[in-house]
């Protein structure tokens, strides 16, 4: 028997993957007896934010993930296709019908026992914890006790990630602070976007006037000073950013031989430098506003955003420190973590981690070694991200092109690159399912 705690997308998917193979499952869900600040019902798979499961544009990272889930006979994708509603190039669902479908399918499994009860201590035996970003205080305390309080986080403070191919490098320079000018090299730790006084003034004014997301009650958090939204810092004074995330100290622009008036630093997200993080630019600006304002930064005029910045309530684990390759806890290997708790962001990304946790628990029950998914697949790319990221800078991420290994054929043609990545991902995922299930 395998126990699953949490009836959201990840928990539902994990329970489904296990039970449909004939293995008894006990699924705990505290709703409706105890609701979270965001949930309204006791239905499994209830969506509390958007009803969109993102893009269905062929060869996009989100499309690749959907195809992989379909190939693995995902319950969540089955429900999405059964309850979809028109939404252009996005897969949107009737949220009530979607949750009802998932609930009915799970309730129809003969070997699945559903217990409506809050779990405050982790059960003995093989257990999957999939309680999501709004994990109850009692279970959060239990997880903190097991893995260490410093490894469990209760908020997201995320800066945008930029597609490297969309940066105008003629306006930027690679350099680490105090290392001196190295205009002919690309081995600096950071890519710097220098601003003149006029460029800074224009950016500052646009930032002050930009429209922001109003947090809902369950998203209200106390953010550490080091993770303060960039627009809040701007409210403290004209020069606050120049003494904070945009400080130019220790940097020399090789084009002028002088220190810039201000600078935005971009940190590589991976060894291949296919994506860059905007250092210190956590934000609550609305997504269109992020594009409008941040494209005022020299070099980012045509920036493509692989991930937008955000700050919101989200319990997650420092996965690189806490999790084994099979998503089990390093100091309690019979306990697996699934969904957003692992450090992924998004509905289907959470589903994917539920699917992998379910397969991992099954392999353990059968006495078999876990087979990790290929890194070239969407599932493997997500798993690689949460396990191999720098634990000092670990933040949740959704699926995006920068997480995939570069295609074997080097190309600057973005459409060709996406097609090559998609073809390889689905080929290797198909082969993986033949041996992993």
């Amino acid at each position: 028997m395998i126990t699953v705690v949490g009836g959201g997308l990840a928990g539902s998917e994990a329970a489904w993957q296990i039970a449909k193979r004939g293995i008894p499952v006990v699924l705990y869900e505290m709703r409706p007896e105890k609701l979270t600040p965001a949930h309204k019902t006791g239905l499994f798979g209830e969506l509390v934010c958007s009803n969109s499961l993102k893009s269905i544009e062929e060869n996009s990272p989100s499309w690749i993930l959907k195809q992989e889930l379909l190939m693995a006979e995902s319950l969540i994708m089955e429900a999405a296709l059964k309850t979809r509603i028109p939404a252009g190039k996005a897969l949107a669902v009737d949220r009530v019908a979607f949750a009802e479908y998932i609930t009915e399918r799970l309730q129809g499994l003969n070997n699945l026992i559903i217990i409506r009860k809050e779990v405050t201590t982790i059960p003995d035996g093989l257990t999957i914890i999939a309680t999501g970003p709004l994990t109850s205080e009692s279970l959060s305390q239990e997880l903190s006790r097991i893995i260490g309080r410093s490894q469990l986080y209760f908020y997201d403070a995320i800066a945008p990630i930029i597609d490297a191919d969309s940066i105008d490098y003629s306006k930027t320079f690679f350099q680490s602070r105090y290392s001196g000018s190295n205009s002919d090299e690309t081995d600096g730790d950071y890519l710097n976007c220098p601003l003149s006084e006029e460029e800074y003034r224009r950016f500052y004014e646009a930032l002050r006037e930009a429209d922001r997301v109003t947090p809902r009650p369950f998203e209200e958090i106390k953010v550490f000073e080091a993770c303060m939204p960039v627009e809040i810092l701007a409210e403290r004074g004209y020069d606050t950013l120049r003494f904070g995330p945009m400080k130019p100290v220790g940097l020399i622009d090789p084009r002028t031989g002088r220190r810039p008036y201000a600078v935005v630093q971009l940190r590589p997200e991976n060894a291949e430098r296919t994506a860059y993080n905007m250092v210190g630019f956590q934000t609550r600006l609305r997504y269109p506003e992020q594009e409008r304002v941040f494209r005022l930064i020299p070099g980012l005029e045509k920036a493509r955003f692989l991930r937008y910045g955000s700050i919101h309530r989200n319990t997650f684990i420092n996965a690189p420190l806490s999790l084994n390759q099979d998503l089990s806890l390093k100091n309690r290997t019979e306990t697996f973590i699934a969904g957003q708790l692992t450090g992924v962001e998004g509905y289907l990304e959470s589903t994917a981690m539920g699917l992998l946790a379910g397969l991992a628990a099954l392999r353990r029950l059968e006495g078999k070694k876990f087979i990790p998914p290929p890194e070239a697949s969407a599932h493997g790319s997500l798993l690689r991200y949460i396990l191999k990221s720098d634990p000092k800078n670990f933040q949740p991420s959704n699926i995006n092109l920068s997480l995939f290994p570069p295609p074997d054929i080097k190309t600057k043609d973005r459409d060709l690159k996406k097609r090559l990545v998609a073809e390889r991902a689905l080929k290797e995922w198909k082969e993986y399912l033949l041996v992993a299930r």
Side-chain angles (χ1 to χ4, degrees), residues 123-134:
D124 293 329
L126 294 179
T127 302
I128 297 173
I129 304 298
T131 44
L134 296 174

Side-chain angles (χ1 to χ4, degrees), residues 167-183:
I167 298 171
D168 183 352
Y169 292 93
S170 70
K171 299 180 180 180
T172 66
F173 61 94
F174 286 94
Q175 194 178 116
S176 300
R177 293 190 192 278
Y178 304 107
S179 65
S181 175
N182 61 345
S183 58

Side-chain angles (χ1 to χ4, degrees), residues 117-139:
K117 176 184 176 182
E118 180 185 5
V119 172
T120 57
T121 59
I122 297 176
D124 293 329
L126 294 179
T127 302
I128 297 173
I129 304 298
T131 44
L134 296 174
T135 297
S136 69
E137 183 177 353
S138 298
L139 189 55

Side-chain angles (χ1 to χ4, degrees), residues 102-114:
I102 294 170
T103 303
E104 291 172 4
R105 292 288 275 163
L106 290 175
Q107 289 176 338
L109 294 170
N110 295 327
N111 56 334
L112 177 69
I113 299 173
I114 297 171

Side-chain angles (χ1 to χ4, degrees), residues 64-366:
I64 297 171
L65 182 56
K66 290 177 177 64
Q67 298 307 306
E68 290 183 10
L69 287 168
L70 286 170
M71 292 165 67
E73 300 175 353
S74 161
L75 171 62
I76 303 308
M77 276 303 299
E78 178 185 314
L81 294 181
K82 291 287 186 180
T83 62
R84 67 184 302 179
I85 58 177
K89 292 185 178 181
L91 175 58
V93 301
D94 178 318
R95 68 175 70 236
V96 174
F98 174 78
E100 288 177 341
Y101 185 92
I102 294 170
T103 303
E104 291 172 4
R105 292 288 275 163
L106 290 175
Q107 289 176 338
L109 294 170
N110 295 327
N111 56 334
L112 177 69
I113 299 173
I114 297 171
I115 299 178
R116 300 285 184 170
K117 176 184 176 182
E118 180 185 5
V119 172
T120 57
T121 59
I122 297 176
D124 293 329
L126 294 179
T127 302
I128 297 173
I129 304 298
T131 44
L134 296 174
T135 297
S136 69
E137 183 177 353
S138 298
L139 189 55
S140 292
Q141 291 176 352
E142 171 76 348
L143 285 170
S144 293
R145 182 186 66 79
I146 292 173
I147 67 174
R149 187 167 300 276
S150 63
Q151 296 182 39
L152 186 67
Y153 299 97
F154 298 95
Y155 64 92
D156 274 356
I158 294 176
I161 292 178
I162 306 296
D163 186 339
D165 288 340
S166 68
I167 298 171
D168 183 352
Y169 292 93
S170 70
K171 299 180 180 180
T172 66
F173 61 94
F174 286 94
Q175 194 178 116
S176 300
R177 293 190 192 278
Y178 304 107
S179 65
S181 175
N182 61 345
S183 58
D184 295 327
E185 302 177 21
T186 58
D187 58 354
D189 292 336
Y190 293 88
L191 179 63
N192 300 279
C193 303
L195 290 84
S196 67
E197 184 172 359
E198 174 60 25
E199 289 167 337
Y200 176 80
R201 181 195 60 77
R202 186 168 67 251
F203 170 78
Y204 174 81
E205 292 176 353
L207 182 61
R208 287 291 308 273
E209 297 169 357
D211 192 17
R212 307 170 188 180
V213 174
T214 302
R216 287 159 290 190
F218 69 90
E219 292 181 318
E220 285 288 0
I221 53 174
K222 294 181 179 179
V223 181
F224 294 145
E225 188 70 20
C227 296
M228 194 64 60
V230 66
E231 61 272 14
I232 301 300
L233 288 176
E235 291 180 351
R236 296 179 176 180
Y238 181 77
D239 288 322
T240 304
L241 294 175
R242 294 182 60 242
F243 287 91
M246 297 181 71
K247 63 179 179 289
V249 177
L251 297 169
I252 301 297
D253 187 341
R255 298 174 302 173
T256 65
R258 297 191 302 270
R259 188 173 76 181
Y261 187 78
V263 68
V264 174
Q265 288 201 305
L266 306 180
R267 182 179 59 236
E269 275 290 303
N270 51 32
E272 298 82 12
R273 296 191 180 192
T274 60
Y276 285 88
N277 184 293
M278 296 181 67
V279 179
F281 269 66
Q282 299 85 5
T283 180
R284 265 190 171 147
L285 296 185
R286 296 187 183 278
Y287 291 171
E289 290 289 82
Q290 291 186 42
E291 293 186 358
R292 181 181 68 85
V293 175
F294 295 155
R295 283 175 178 164
L296 295 174
I297 298 168
L300 303 186
E301 292 88 348
K302 297 181 180 180
R304 287 192 295 268
F305 290 79
L306 298 174
R307 182 186 75 187
Y308 293 99
S310 67
I311 298 177
H312 57 273
R313 171 74 162 81
N314 182 9
T315 303
F316 66 98
I317 285 171
N318 192 335
L321 292 179
S322 306
L323 296 183
N324 293 311
Q325 191 177 41
D326 63 355
L327 297 177
S328 64
L329 290 173
K330 289 183 177 180
N331 55 359
R332 184 164 174 160
T333 57
E334 286 196 331
T335 301
F336 299 81
I337 305 297
Q340 282 193 231
L341 279 177
T342 66
V344 297
E345 185 88 5
Y347 291 148
L348 294 185
E349 289 86 345
S350 299
T351 300
M353 292 302 103
L355 186 150
L356 289 181
L359 295 181
L362 277 169
R363 301 282 297 186
R364 183 79 65 81
L365 184 68
E366 296 169 351

Side-chain angles (χ1 to χ4, degrees), residues 351-387:
T351 300
M353 292 302 103
L355 186 150
L356 289 181
L359 295 181
L362 277 169
R363 301 282 297 186
R364 183 79 65 81
L365 184 68
E366 296 169 351
K368 299 177 181 177
K369 185 178 179 180
F370 175 70
I371 303 174
E375 291 187 353
S377 67
H379 283 76
S381 295
L382 285 167
L383 186 63
R384 175 175 177 263
Y385 173 79
I386 66 173
L387 296 180

